[in-house]
Amino acid sequence: FSAQPEWSGTLSVRLLPDAVAGDYEVKKVIIPRVDAKSIPLSTASNFKCDNNYYLGKIISWKNISDECTHVTFDVVLSNLNTSERIYLHSNRKPAEQVTDALHRLGLSLAKKLSKKMNQKRDSKRKPPTIAYSVVSGEGEKNLMNSHAKVWEWQSPPQQQVHFTVDSVNIMLKVECCPPTIVSVKTFENFGQYLFVSVPLIVLVDTIFSFKTTVDWYVDDQRVQLDSVAYTPIADDIGKEVMVVVSAFDQDGTRHGIDAYRFLHKVQQRPNNAVLDFRHDFTKPRSTEQEKKSIRVLSYNILNANESDYPHCDSKFIVKERRIPLLVFEVIQYQADILCLQEVDESTYNNLLNPILAHYGYQGVFKVKEGSKEGGAIFWSLRVFCCDTMTDYKSHLIRDLFDRSRCRKHWGSMKDILNLFEKHERLNKLMCQRLGHMLQTVELTHIGSGKRILLANTHLFFHPKASHVRLMQLYACLYQIDIERSDTSAIVLCGDLNSSPLSGAARLLWHRTVRPPDGESDQGTTWKYLCTFSIDSHEDNLDAVCNNIEAPTIRLPDKALFPSLVSAYQVLPDCTHFIHNFAATLDYIMVSENEFEPLAWAEVPPIEILSKDSGMPSEVLPSDHVSLVCDLAFRTKLKET
């Protein structure tokens, strides 16, 4: 091995736990990684090798040898004369002997070299001649007769492996568990639309890394150093945005570098007609305002299929365009509490949660059973604290209909359960099929020490199921009463899919909904009790209603369960508008004795919302309007 090597490079040995995939060279999702040659010179000057692989989900562990379930070899070779490069990846078993692993590595190198030299190895040709030795700074270490296992291989400084493959000399510097970029993710795999003033964020996972940096470039000019987030400015319009991620060891040496370019160029953000109508809620809040009030937002952000909204061009409905615009709107309100509905899991994990965490929020998410979307709650960590995450709970509403949990002063629960026993189809729908959720979290207001029980829900949608929503809401209020402490104020947010004249709204306003009388709720709450079927667009006219009577649904006395009032003291004309249909379906309800509504963000008139024939549209990212209000704790009980 005294001859000058023709090829040189690195051999990276990674000892991986079971949770980190070893076949990380196989990428299931193609994203726009930038070739290393296009990385700006200011970054590429420290570029060492192309350890740009995906290892899957990151995991932390203390003792590598105890947790190691598989080992990977990664070779990056450069020809010293022609600048050609060879990449090689292989999976090894931890119990494999080092000598066997190196021999197989030599065979793989032989195949790669044959392809480079356009040599075809036939069956009659002799096997390649392979020789190797492992050398460290202290001299040659003979592993030929060693029983050392691959997982025991810990490389000292300056360790090298010298190969001779068919007279070709190869020198590899060994790196054991070098800092490695596991994954670089962003919303829609770098496919989101880029708008001025709409923040971008990346999620980076590494292993064996002492430090990781994220730098941002616009048209190859660095614009932000070492930050996971960047907000494009007007000067960026028409330009490309790139993110460069680097992993360093404890000596400050860069071992891995990844560069990615977003698919879309920066464009001007369209004016949101709702934001333009709410200047009082988008200007910066003063310190005094923040001390005296709590700002609450509730918003159904729409989990849409393009075919559901024929009035709108499909390019305006795709979530990679809609959701960034929606995030911009949410951030503008500077709310202390955010309750969101119709949030899909990837939107929460890859955009909402990391962006809002960057702005100082903590969040929780739960998907509806049998659905791809659910609810999310966020609270500002400057304003609220959550003692432990056990204070957060999510419930299937159908599980709340449980006779064993009945409480004396919630007598209507027994009446509902008796109805289910007589009405098999309704029982199956309410207790088996519907996967709607109730989320609750108890928060402590840092400034006052007062407790708030925050609830978020989204009720069944069907226009002929007002009776279903009434019973779902009753169950939600029942659960809120179980979880609240005697001193807890209540905030209930959500898309109730119920108009102010519905039975569900009447339960909130008047605490009682009686069987049909033709007046109280226009006789519609229980109208389809016997005929409604979720499996058919037609009513089940043959349904038998013998012995099935609508019960009276009544909340407990105010002394046992507080009155909830709308934070919008004047209800908006509509919160949901699609082509040829407008209704108020969304609410922020608060306990009357604990909260005083100070102000609420007006909903634009239908003339503005209908400018593009309905929502969503080019400038409105959802088919619902967000609700935003300012609340203050009452210093004394409100007189009834």
Side-chain angles (χ1 to χ4, degrees):
F1 301 106
S2 60
Q4 184 72 18
E6 299 171 45
W7 294 80
S8 69
T10 58
L11 165 61
S12 298
V13 181
R14 293 179 176 88
L15 314 180
L16 303 175
D18 184 61
V20 178
D23 57 346
Y24 48 77
E25 199 174 43
V26 181
K27 303 175 185 64
K28 295 181 179 179
V29 179
I30 299 175
I31 59 178
R33 172 176 290 169
V34 180
D35 186 271
K37 294 179 181 177
S38 67
I39 297 173
L41 292 177
S42 59
T43 299
S45 60
N46 293 324
F47 183 74
K48 286 209 165 189
C49 63
D50 293 343
N51 292 332
N52 301 333
Y53 301 114
Y54 285 91
L55 306 185
K57 186 178 180 181
I58 189 164
I59 189 169
S60 300
W61 69 98
K62 294 181 179 179
N63 191 328
I64 293 177
S65 61
D66 289 345
E67 299 288 342
C68 175
T69 61
H70 55 290
V71 179
T72 62
F73 283 4
D74 291 290
V75 174
V76 180
L77 277 179
S78 297
N79 189 298
L80 300 180
N81 298 317
T82 65
S83 72
E84 293 178 280
R85 308 196 89 180
I86 288 178
Y87 303 89
L88 191 150
H89 168 77
S90 66
N91 290 297
R92 315 305 329 159
K93 294 181 179 180
E96 184 179 17
Q97 291 188 14
V98 172
T99 52
D100 293 339
L102 289 177
H103 182 73
R104 289 182 173 84
L105 179 60
L107 292 173
S108 298
L109 288 172
K111 291 180 182 179
K112 290 279 187 177
L113 290 170
S114 294
K115 290 181 180 180
K116 284 289 182 182
M117 294 183 286
N118 295 318
Q119 294 178 352
K120 294 184 179 179
R121 187 175 295 279
D122 55 42
S123 57
K124 296 181 180 180
R125 187 176 176 182
K126 293 181 179 180
T129 302
I130 298 171
Y132 62 86
S133 69
V134 179
V135 179
S136 69
E138 300 173 355
E140 185 173 338
K141 181 179 179 181
N142 185 4
L143 295 177
M144 299 302 294
N145 299 317
S146 171
H147 296 289
K149 308 299 183 184
V150 170
W151 71 266
E152 299 175 302
W153 191 3
Q154 302 290 327
S155 63
Q158 308 303 318
Q159 191 176 76
Q160 298 176 352
V161 178
H162 291 182
F163 278 94
T164 297
V165 178
D166 284 343
S167 74
V168 176
N169 293 313
I170 301 170
M171 188 275 287
L172 294 174
K173 178 184 176 182
V174 180
E175 297 179 327
C176 189
C177 298
T180 303
I181 297 169
V182 174
S183 64
V184 179
K185 299 177 184 176
T186 189
F187 182 58
E188 292 301 286
N189 295 311
F190 293 86
Q192 73 178 84
Y193 283 59
L194 311 186
F195 297 101
V196 172
S197 301
V198 179
L200 305 171
I201 198 161
V202 294
L203 304 174
V204 178
D205 284 340
T206 63
I207 54 175
F208 315 124
S209 178
F210 183 78
K211 180 183 178 182
T212 304
T213 62
V214 180
D215 299 333
W216 295 81
Y217 292 76
V218 174
D219 273 3
D220 294 340
Q221 296 295 316
R222 189 164 67 185
V223 293
Q224 187 142 315
L225 178 66
D226 197 12
S227 174
V228 296
Y230 173 67
T231 302
I233 61 176
D235 286 346
D236 299 339
I237 292 176
K239 298 177 182 179
E240 294 181 320
V241 176
M242 185 171 70
V243 60
V244 175
V245 181
S246 305
F248 297 85
D249 62 20
Q250 60 185 355
D251 296 325
T253 302
R254 188 198 312 263
H255 287 259
I257 184 169
D258 268 1
Y260 302 87
R261 182 171 282 118
F262 285 83
L263 294 177
H264 299 281
K265 295 182 179 181
V266 178
Q267 57 185 288
Q268 183 59 273
R269 175 183 50 81
N271 287 332
N272 183 312
V274 174
L275 280 175
D276 291 344
F277 200 75
R278 295 173 163 179
H279 293 301
D280 286 345
F281 278 81
T282 58
K283 61 186 180 183
R285 296 171 70 191
S286 68
T287 304
E288 192 65 22
Q289 285 176 317
E290 291 181 339
K291 287 181 179 179
K292 291 184 176 181
S293 65
I294 297 169
R295 182 164 292 180
V296 180
L297 174 144
S298 183
Y299 201 175
N300 181 328
I301 67 172
L302 179 60
N303 182 44
N305 293 316
E306 298 173 26
S307 59
D308 293 340
Y309 299 91
H311 72 274
C312 183
D313 192 318
S314 60
K315 69 182 180 182
F316 299 136
I317 297 178
V318 293
K319 69 177 184 179
E320 52 264 39
R321 183 186 187 277
R322 283 193 314 106
I323 301 299
L325 292 174
L326 189 144
V327 167
F328 174 80
E329 179 187 350
V330 167
I331 291 173
Q332 299 312 297
Y333 295 128
Q334 310 149 76
D336 305 312
I337 290 173
L338 297 85
C339 291
L340 307 178
Q341 304 87 43
E342 291 198 32
V343 180
D344 74 64
E345 193 166 6
S346 69
T347 296
Y348 176 82
N349 289 332
N350 296 326
L351 185 60
L352 287 174
N353 193 42
I355 278 285
L356 290 173
H358 186 70
Y359 279 85
Y361 292 86
Q362 184 170 349
V364 289
F365 169 77
K366 185 66 177 181
V367 69
K368 290 193 295 190
E369 187 173 282
S371 176
K372 295 181 179 179
E373 50 89 3
I377 297 175
F378 295 91
W379 57 93
S380 170
L381 293 174
R382 294 187 302 106
V383 181
F384 292 101
C385 64
C386 182
D387 291 345
T388 66
M389 285 313 293
T390 58
D391 288 336
Y392 165 71
K393 299 178 177 64
S394 64
H395 308 274
L396 276 168
I397 295 177
R398 70 185 187 208
D399 291 343
L400 304 181
F401 298 105
D402 183 353
R403 194 175 292 276
S404 66
R405 301 169 70 247
C406 286
R407 309 178 82 190
K408 182 178 179 180
H409 53 282
W410 287 81
S412 294
M413 180 60 78
K414 290 184 179 179
D415 297 332
I416 291 172
L417 294 172
N418 290 338
L419 173 64
F420 290 171
E421 289 179 355
K422 297 176 181 179
H423 198 323
E424 182 179 353
R425 190 173 68 255
L426 180 64
N427 182 62
K428 185 177 180 180
L429 174 70
M430 298 289 293
C431 298
Q432 297 180 35
R433 298 191 61 176
L434 297 184
H436 299 81
M437 304 294 302
L438 169 69
Q439 295 174 287
T440 61
V441 62
E442 191 165 30
L443 304 173
T444 300
H445 185 250
I446 295 173
S448 66
K450 294 184 178 182
R451 306 278 286 177
I452 294 177
L453 184 68
L454 175 62
N456 182 38
T457 193
H458 185 188
L459 302 184
F460 187 44
F461 76 96
H462 202 287
K464 294 183 178 180
S466 182
H467 60 295
V468 172
R469 291 185 286 277
L470 169 62
M471 291 183 284
Q472 284 184 322
L473 178 61
Y474 182 86
C476 290
L477 298 176
Y478 178 85
Q479 184 62 34
I480 288 171
D481 189 41
I482 291 174
E483 294 184 17
R484 73 184 182 97
S485 65
D486 292 338
T487 58
S488 289
I490 297 172
V491 176
L492 169 63
C493 298
D495 176 359
L496 304 186
N497 270 314
S498 302
S499 76
L501 297 177
S502 67
R506 183 175 179 81
L507 183 67
L508 293 169
W509 311 147
H510 304 291
R511 305 181 72 87
T512 300
V513 178
R514 294 182 172 84
D517 58 14
E519 296 178 3
S520 63
D521 58 343
Q522 300 181 344
T524 59
T525 295
W526 299 103
K527 181 177 180 180
Y528 301 100
L529 173 62
C530 292
T531 60
F532 173 69
S533 172
I534 194 175
D535 297 315
S536 174
H537 293 293
E538 302 296 330
D539 295 336
N540 184 1
L541 300 178
D542 297 326
V544 177
C545 280
N546 295 338
N547 301 319
I548 297 178
E549 296 182 357
T552 294
I553 307 298
R554 181 180 290 111
L555 295 179
D557 185 79
K558 291 182 180 180
L560 298 171
F561 184 76
S563 291
L564 300 182
V565 297
S566 173
Y568 274 65
Q569 295 188 331
V570 178
L571 291 177
D573 292 335
C574 74
T575 63
H576 169 65
F577 179 71
I578 57 175
H579 190 59
N580 294 327
F581 178 78
T584 296
L585 305 178
D586 305 87
Y587 300 87
I588 298 176
M589 306 296 298
V590 300
S591 48
E592 185 177 27
N593 278 343
E594 284 79 21
F595 283 117
E596 177 185 358
L598 299 178
W600 50 93
E602 298 287 347
V603 173
I606 291 180
E607 293 75 26
I608 293 178
L609 300 179
S610 62
K611 185 177 180 181
D612 295 304
S613 301
M615 302 165 64
S617 67
E618 180 182 1
V619 297
L620 297 173
S622 176
D623 60 348
H624 286 249
V625 180
S626 59
L627 299 183
V628 191
C629 67
D630 287 339
L631 307 172
F633 287 111
R634 292 190 185 275
T635 55
K636 61 180 181 178
L637 291 180
K638 180 181 178 182
E639 294 182 6
T640 303

